[in-house]
Amino acid sequence: KMQTFRYFAEFEPGDEAGIVVSFPDVPEAITQGDDEADARAMAREALGLALLSYPRRGLPLPAPKAKGKGLVPVVVDPETAAKLAVLERFRTAGISKSELARRIGRDEKAVRRILDPMHPTKIGALEAALAALGAQLVIGVDAA
């Protein structure tokens, strides 16, 4: 099953000015922008940060269910998507950090960094971790 980390957002006029963005499936992700382009950029960042908070709290990622008229699809940046994929696969793999370290040929300290939601990790390390967890990173393009 392909995981895309795409959630639908509601863009509404703000009380004072600008555009407020919220995500029905990710209530922690709420932001605003000065105009639509700024709101989209802020939405992408807010969604990524909110989703990264789920593994930190030991929670599974929310399922993207919301759809409907007026909702706008938003995807997280590629690095965040790869990090989320690793965290989600590790959560359900039932293996230890030391076992993952053995599988990717790195020490446990490196694996702790890979599994830290807030630690920036190079895409190659995330790809190796995904392979060790029985998954592969697939890059796709979707017409906006």
Side-chain angles (χ1 to χ4, degrees):
K1 181 183 172 212
M2 181 81 66
Q3 230 176 343
T4 61
F5 309 103
R6 178 171 74 173
Y7 291 80
F8 286 86
E10 204 173 308
F11 284 63
E12 300 175 300
D15 289 341
E16 304 285 318
I19 299 170
V20 174
V21 184
S22 60
F23 293 82
D25 296 324
V26 188
E28 301 85 350
I30 186 163
T31 189
Q32 69 180 50
D34 296 332
D35 54 33
E36 187 162 339
D38 187 42
R40 282 182 181 273
M42 298 300 286
R44 188 175 196 194
E45 182 179 353
L47 177 61
L49 289 170
L51 290 175
L52 286 168
S53 79
Y54 280 76
R56 268 200 322 253
R57 295 180 285 153
L59 300 171
L61 294 175
K65 295 183 234 163
K67 288 187 173 124
K69 203 171 175 102
L71 293 179
V72 177
V74 175
V75 295
V76 299
D77 65 82
E79 293 83 4
T80 301
K83 176 72 94 165
L84 288 166
V86 168
L87 294 169
E88 199 63 2
R89 289 297 289 210
F90 181 77
R91 184 182 68 78
T92 60
I95 64 169
S96 66
K97 291 176 185 173
S98 55
E99 173 59 18
L100 180 57
R102 186 192 66 72
R103 289 182 186 184
I104 64 173
R106 307 277 300 268
D107 64 22
E108 197 172 334
K109 186 177 178 185
V111 167
R112 279 197 306 272
R113 286 191 300 267
I114 290 169
L115 296 175
D116 177 350
M118 300 317 289
H119 188 276
T121 307
K122 292 186 190 253
I123 204 87
L126 295 169
E127 193 173 18
L130 281 171
L133 293 166
Q136 66 179 346
L137 182 62
V138 177
I139 305 294
V141 177
D142 189 17

